[in-house]
Amino acid sequence: MKGKLVIFLLLLTSSLFAQSEWPIFRGNQQLTASVDSELSSSLQLIASFQTDDDIKASPVVKDGAVYCGSTDGFFYAFKLNGDLLWKFDAENAIEAPAILLDGKVLFGSLDGWLFCLNQTDGGLVWKYKTDNQIIGSANWHKGAEQTVVAVGSYDYFLHGVDLKDGHNLWKYESDNFINGAPALYKNKVVFGGCDGFLHLVNLETGQVEKKIELSTYVASSPAIVGHEAYVGDYDGRFFAVDLEYGIVSWTYDDPEKNLPFIASPAVSANYIVLGNEDRQLYCFQRKDGKLVWTKRLSNRINSSSVIVGSKVVTATMDGMLFMHALETGEELWSYEIGSQMVSSPAFYQGKIIIGANDGRIYILGEK
């Protein structure tokens, strides 16, 4: 029995922290933004792609191509060298990250549409209407008979949609806006709402299984490792929540600092890293919430960090990219983009890919 448990834990760790693509916001369906790979400490700009307005969405990457929407109303697919593959006119600003699933690209827009396109050519497969803007990424669960896509909207609902044809399967109503992305947990999703609760919803039925009160509203997306969800709130508290028991395992709360966690956490096997509007980058021990280190960066941090092996990459609102050592917080590298970044970085084949408010998507790697 002990041997089977060890094998299970090894498989779990591998599935969460090792991957060769970035098909969803935060890299995997548990939204951990942590990969077991290598990243150079001397990245340089190797390519970029220009759009006509701010990039607030976070890029996703698969098969050597980058996919990202812009507030200019277009969704773009382009090669890693910056060459355009195709673009799609969504007719409204796009701030939500896309997901890449079974040859399809799915993303939401600010007028409430969820679009499904062909990944190869950007052709419209179907579109689904919610009653308010979609800011966060979707997520999915593959069942025996159908794949359910779940997406939150400012209409207060989490929508369950059939990947095959865009047909509504169910709607779950929260008590306020849904800003972040849902994270997958077994056949369920977990999301924080602006109602101050962490919701655990069954994707097969659309029924809530647990509703865990945190406090004030949650603008970010949770990350899940094992049966624990990690999420910050708008008053500067950070929580670890046991999803099986529906209780808060530990809380970080500095009453002298109550600025929001807008960024979502990056979670490795041992550490949790995320930035705050107080300009601090925080690193906690995952098991007990003990503060390992903090670093004051050059400006507010609304972009979500990414962990690559022993390194952490973080973007700030004054246009800086930083790399720190995960265990110590030592600064290893910095790069000036020069424009605000709320887009979160993707990691793909040794490269960091991120959008900025100058309308450009930057690709940094080793030349």
Side-chain angles (χ1 to χ4, degrees), residues 49 198 208 364:
F49 181 85
L198 197 65
V208 64
L364 298 104

Side-chain angles (χ1 to χ4, degrees), residues 46-47 82 104-105 146 158 162 240 266 269 291 312 314 365:
I46 57 175
K104 306 291 190 296
V105 183
Q146 61 190 3
L158 182 74
D162 192 334
L291 186 62
V312 183
T314 306

Side-chain angles (χ1 to χ4, degrees), residues 270-309:
N270 298 314
Y271 301 104
I272 301 167
V273 180
L274 79 163
N276 188 278
E277 288 234 315
D278 65 5
R279 301 188 177 194
Q280 298 285 341
L281 185 64
Y282 293 84
C283 179
F284 305 104
Q285 283 188 1
R286 188 171 72 84
K287 64 180 180 179
D288 57 13
K290 179 182 177 181
L291 186 62
V292 180
W293 53 260
T294 64
K295 293 293 177 181
R296 183 174 174 84
L297 303 190
S298 57
N299 209 294
R300 294 175 294 132
I301 308 167
N302 288 350
S303 172
S304 305
S305 302
V306 59
I307 296 172
V308 182

Side-chain angles (χ1 to χ4, degrees), residues 89-104:
D89 187 1
E91 300 182 351
N92 207 291
I94 303 165
E95 296 187 10
I99 61 172
L100 305 173
L101 174 62
D102 294 347
K104 306 291 190 296

Side-chain angles (χ1 to χ4, degrees), residues 204-364:
E204 295 173 351
T205 66
Q207 299 297 309
V208 64
E209 297 198 359
K210 290 184 177 69
K211 188 176 176 182
I212 305 157
E213 185 172 7
L214 297 181
S215 185
T216 189
Y217 63 92
V218 177
S220 61
S221 306
I224 297 175
V225 178
H227 57 83
E228 296 272 346
Y230 305 96
V231 70
D233 74 7
Y234 215 75
D235 282 345
R237 288 180 289 267
F238 189 80
F239 304 90
V241 179
D242 188 311
L243 297 173
E244 290 299 310
Y245 291 97
I247 59 173
V248 175
S249 302
W250 54 258
T251 304
Y252 170 82
D253 183 16
D254 184 346
E256 295 183 1
K257 294 183 178 181
N258 58 359
L259 290 174
F261 282 114
I262 303 295
S264 302
V267 186
S268 71
N270 298 314
Y271 301 104
I272 301 167
V273 180
L274 79 163
N276 188 278
E277 288 234 315
D278 65 5
R279 301 188 177 194
Q280 298 285 341
L281 185 64
Y282 293 84
C283 179
F284 305 104
Q285 283 188 1
R286 188 171 72 84
K287 64 180 180 179
D288 57 13
K290 179 182 177 181
L291 186 62
V292 180
W293 53 260
T294 64
K295 293 293 177 181
R296 183 174 174 84
L297 303 190
S298 57
N299 209 294
R300 294 175 294 132
I301 308 167
N302 288 350
S303 172
S304 305
S305 302
V306 59
I307 296 172
V308 182
S310 62
K311 302 179 178 73
V312 183
V313 176
T314 306
T316 61
M317 291 294 283
D318 63 346
M320 291 295 298
L321 273 174
F322 293 93
M323 184 187 299
H324 293 87
L326 176 59
E327 292 191 355
T328 65
E330 176 191 359
E331 184 178 318
L332 304 174
W333 169 89
S334 66
Y335 185 89
E336 185 175 2
I337 294 289
S339 181
Q340 283 189 346
M341 286 176 283
V342 295
S343 170
S344 298
F347 171 79
Y348 180 78
Q349 295 183 352
K351 302 172 183 63
I352 292 293
I353 304 164
I354 189 168
N357 284 9
D358 60 2
R360 188 177 292 273
I361 300 167
Y362 295 83
I363 302 173
L364 298 104

Side-chain angles (χ1 to χ4, degrees), residues 34-321:
S34 179
V35 292
D36 184 13
S37 189
E38 297 296 326
L39 183 64
S40 170
S41 298
S42 57
L43 300 177
Q44 302 178 59
L45 182 66
I46 57 175
S48 67
F49 181 85
Q50 183 69 55
T51 75
D52 291 331
D53 211 336
D54 299 354
I55 301 292
K56 296 184 177 181
S58 301
V60 292
V61 195
K62 191 173 184 179
D63 300 329
V66 180
Y67 301 84
C68 192
S70 170
T71 57
D72 67 9
F74 282 90
F75 188 91
Y76 298 89
F78 59 93
K79 296 179 183 179
L80 289 170
N81 63 4
D83 289 346
L84 178 68
L85 291 169
W86 53 259
K87 65 179 182 178
F88 174 84
D89 187 1
E91 300 182 351
N92 207 291
I94 303 165
E95 296 187 10
I99 61 172
L100 305 173
L101 174 62
D102 294 347
K104 306 291 190 296
V105 183
L106 295 96
F107 63 91
S109 64
L110 290 193
D111 57 354
W113 286 102
L114 177 67
F115 292 93
C116 177
L117 311 180
N118 277 316
Q119 184 180 331
T120 53
D121 59 12
L124 179 66
V125 179
W126 52 257
K127 60 181 182 177
Y128 170 87
K129 188 70 167 71
T130 71
D131 291 328
N132 210 325
Q133 61 189 16
I134 299 172
I135 298 290
S137 168
N139 211 323
W140 72 88
H141 174 258
K142 291 187 176 184
E145 298 182 357
Q146 61 190 3
T147 298
V148 181
V149 176
V151 66
S153 169
Y154 269 46
D155 65 6
Y156 293 19
F157 284 95
L158 182 74
H159 297 256
V161 181
D162 192 334
L163 175 65
K164 181 180 177 181
D165 55 14
H167 176 71
N168 176 257
L169 299 171
W170 48 258
K171 293 198 297 183
Y172 165 72
E173 186 173 11
S174 68
D175 297 317
N176 209 320
F177 302 139
I178 303 174
N179 190 76
L184 188 70
Y185 176 64
K186 299 180 180 178
N187 65 337
K188 310 166 186 67
V189 283
V190 180
F191 68 92
C194 292
D195 56 7
F197 287 88
L198 197 65
H199 302 258
L200 183 64
V201 177
N202 188 302
L203 285 187
E204 295 173 351
T205 66
Q207 299 297 309
V208 64
E209 297 198 359
K210 290 184 177 69
K211 188 176 176 182
I212 305 157
E213 185 172 7
L214 297 181
S215 185
T216 189
Y217 63 92
V218 177
S220 61
S221 306
I224 297 175
V225 178
H227 57 83
E228 296 272 346
Y230 305 96
V231 70
D233 74 7
Y234 215 75
D235 282 345
R237 288 180 289 267
F238 189 80
F239 304 90
V241 179
D242 188 311
L243 297 173
E244 290 299 310
Y245 291 97
I247 59 173
V248 175
S249 302
W250 54 258
T251 304
Y252 170 82
D253 183 16
D254 184 346
E256 295 183 1
K257 294 183 178 181
N258 58 359
L259 290 174
F261 282 114
I262 303 295
S264 302
V267 186
S268 71
N270 298 314
Y271 301 104
I272 301 167
V273 180
L274 79 163
N276 188 278
E277 288 234 315
D278 65 5
R279 301 188 177 194
Q280 298 285 341
L281 185 64
Y282 293 84
C283 179
F284 305 104
Q285 283 188 1
R286 188 171 72 84
K287 64 180 180 179
D288 57 13
K290 179 182 177 181
L291 186 62
V292 180
W293 53 260
T294 64
K295 293 293 177 181
R296 183 174 174 84
L297 303 190
S298 57
N299 209 294
R300 294 175 294 132
I301 308 167
N302 288 350
S303 172
S304 305
S305 302
V306 59
I307 296 172
V308 182
S310 62
K311 302 179 178 73
V312 183
V313 176
T314 306
T316 61
M317 291 294 283
D318 63 346
M320 291 295 298
L321 273 174

